[in-house]
């Protein structure tokens, strides 16, 4: 199969309507989308990514009104959060209705729903008039894509079309939340910070991001979001200067040899936007190792440390 990159929204729409998978831009990372009401198309998502079918997909809607037939309840506290953060990088786990295929939920009776903010995807969802199932448009376990070219690098020959909407401006996956015993829990750290959620909730939501009783979310898988080049958290030792690439949050005059800076001003939002692109670049740099300076453990730093520690776990002996 030939994979094309373009900006033709109608082409993407026609392909999706005919049951094909399409790479689509979102504000978080690029998604691999298919008509959520077409089981064959959904199976093609798993096939293209090499993703186990037990790992459920997020349903994307233009609006809450569009989502209501697909869910059983949307709790009041989620409505409050949605009014503040949506459209945007926040995913809600809610009880599903019978309209949602078990292929999407990995057989669970809950479904993950999100309202993406990217104008191109909003337009596509409105024109389609039905939800898109879309995980990140990467091969299972590998780096997430934040440009159309990143998608092409991993999925070329596996999907017909990538709709180019420019570089993703958030650059990190959505925050996934659920409700247990009347309390909001974070299942995956992401673009909406714990602090921002706490401001609306009046309490700091606990995180439940580790594997337990089988895998629930990618965020809970120990090895994930990984580079091909061995990756470590920290600073490269001086004897590895030329053979290892260092990624730092801000400028750092002490680093010699290959070095990438995520944000000249060490701003976390800019660092988050650039993180995956830097990891893609580092992975292509033909070095033996990649070192990444750990982020402060708050705000977006939590989500970035989470991704990096799961990437590094692949190489820990
Ligand atoms: P991705 O879009 O590739 O980042 O993956 C979507 C994430 O949402 C995965 O981590 C899924 O496991 C998670 N997810 C989807 N549906 C559910 C659900 N019903 N319960 C818990 N997590 C879910
Ligand atoms: Mg993913």
């Amino acid at each position: 199969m030939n994979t094309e990159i373009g900006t033709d929204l109608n082409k993407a729409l026609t392909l999706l309507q005919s049951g094909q998978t399409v790479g689509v831009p979102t504000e978080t990372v690029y998604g691999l989308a298919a008509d959520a009401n077409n089981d064959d198309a959904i199976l093609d998502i798993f096939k293209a990514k090499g993703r186990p079918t037990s790992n459920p997909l997020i349903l994307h809607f233009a609006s809450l009104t569009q989502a209501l037939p697909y869910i059983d309840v949307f709790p009041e506290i989620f409505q409050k959060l949605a009014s503040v953060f949506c459209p945007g990088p926040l995913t809600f786990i809610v009880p599903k209705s019978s309209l949602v295929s078990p292929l999407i939920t990995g057989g669970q009776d809950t479904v993950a729903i999100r309202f993406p903010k990217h104008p191109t995807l909003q337009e596509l969802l409105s024109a389609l008039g039905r939800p898109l199932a879309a995980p990140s448009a990467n091969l299972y376990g590998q780096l997430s894509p934040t440009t159309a070219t990143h998608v092409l690098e991993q999925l070329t020959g596996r999907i017909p079309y990538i709709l180019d909407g420019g570089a993703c401006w958030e650059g990190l996956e959505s925050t996934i939340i659920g409700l247990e015993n009347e309390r909001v829990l974070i299942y995956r750290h992401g673009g909406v910070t714990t602090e921002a959620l706490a401001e609306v909730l009046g309490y700091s939501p606990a995180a439940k991001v580790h594997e337990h009783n089988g895998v629930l979310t990618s965020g809970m898988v120990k090895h994930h979001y990984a580079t091909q080049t061995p990756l470590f958290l920290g600073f490269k030792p001086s004897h590895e200067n030329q053979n290892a690439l260092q990624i730092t949050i801000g400028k750092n005059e002490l680093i010699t040899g290959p070095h990438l800076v995520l944000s000249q001003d060490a701003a976390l939002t800019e660092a988050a936007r650039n993180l995956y692109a830097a990891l893609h670049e580092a992975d292509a740099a033909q070095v033996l190792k990649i070192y990444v300076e750990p982020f402060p453990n708050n705000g977006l730093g939590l989500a970035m440390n989470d991704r990096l520690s799961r990437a590094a776990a692949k190489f820990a002996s």
Side-chain angles (χ1 to χ4, degrees):
M1 184 190 297
N2 191 32
T3 306
E4 196 191 324
I5 293 187
T7 54
D8 187 345
L9 197 110
N10 280 324
K11 178 164 183 168
L13 185 64
T14 309
L15 285 166
L16 290 166
Q17 282 166 336
S18 68
Q20 309 239 45
T21 57
V22 174
V24 295
T26 88
E27 70 276 23
T28 59
V29 303
Y30 270 73
L32 179 56
D35 179 350
N37 294 335
N38 181 332
D39 275 0
D40 289 333
I42 294 165
L43 284 172
D44 283 346
I45 292 182
F46 290 103
K47 236 182 276 167
K49 280 181 62 85
R51 175 171 169 130
T53 48
S54 57
N55 196 338
L57 308 176
I58 296 176
L59 283 190
H60 293 70
F61 296 92
S63 65
L64 182 57
T65 316
Q66 199 189 40
L68 289 176
Y70 292 83
I71 61 181
D72 247 6
V73 271
F74 197 64
E76 222 169 282
I77 188 61
F78 282 1
Q79 290 186 34
K80 190 170 169 191
L81 291 171
S83 70
V84 177
F85 298 109
C86 298
L90 187 61
T91 296
F92 304 89
I93 307 291
V94 285
K96 78 177 196 72
S97 83
S98 59
L99 285 184
V100 179
S101 165
L103 285 177
I104 287 170
T105 65
Q108 301 182 77
D109 52 13
T110 54
V111 64
I113 65 168
R114 184 167 102 77
F115 312 98
K117 193 166 188 169
H118 198 294
T120 308
L121 184 52
Q122 277 274 341
E123 207 179 325
L124 193 61
L125 283 165
S126 301
L128 193 66
R130 49 210 285 170
L132 286 171
S136 49
N138 53 336
L139 291 172
Y140 182 67
Q142 297 193 17
L143 282 179
S144 298
T146 53
T147 65
T149 313
H150 292 159
V151 181
L152 188 72
E153 279 163 15
Q154 290 192 24
L155 298 183
T156 189
R158 293 170 175 255
I159 60 174
Y161 196 61
I162 303 164
L163 184 60
D164 191 347
C168 306
W169 69 82
E170 296 280 351
L172 282 179
E173 292 83 354
S174 61
T175 302
I176 302 181
I177 59 170
L179 195 62
E180 291 184 26
N181 304 320
E182 311 281 305
R183 301 283 280 192
V184 170
L185 290 180
I186 296 177
Y187 295 142
R188 174 175 75 183
H189 291 296
V192 173
T193 63
T194 308
E195 292 87 342
L197 290 169
E199 222 168 278
V200 180
L201 293 171
Y203 62 90
S204 184
K208 190 171 165 186
V209 294
H210 295 290
E211 213 170 333
H212 62 108
N213 303 331
V215 173
L216 268 176
T217 81
S218 325
M220 294 179 189
V221 182
K222 202 167 160 223
H223 301 184
H224 215 74
Y225 312 106
T227 47
Q228 303 301 302
T229 312
L231 179 142
F232 304 89
L233 274 164
F235 289 90
K236 59 180 173 182
S238 52
H239 68 272
E240 287 182 357
N241 262 355
Q242 293 311 317
N243 295 329
L245 183 146
Q246 178 74 53
I247 295 177
T248 56
I249 305 166
K251 283 185 286 202
N252 190 324
E253 311 291 337
L254 299 175
I255 309 293
T256 53
H259 178 201
L260 292 173
V261 176
L262 294 174
S263 162
Q264 291 299 323
D265 307 322
L268 284 190
T269 41
E270 191 186 9
R273 190 179 307 138
N274 293 331
L275 179 65
Y276 280 124
L279 291 171
H280 280 275
E281 190 180 337
D283 221 3
Q286 299 197 312
V287 288
L288 299 179
K289 292 180 184 176
I290 300 166
Y291 287 85
V292 189
E293 176 183 4
F295 294 90
N297 247 331
N298 54 49
L300 291 173
L302 269 181
M304 290 191 275
N305 284 339
D306 169 79
R307 304 300 185 275
L308 292 170
S309 61
R310 286 172 212 279
K314 182 176 162 189
F315 307 105
S317 45

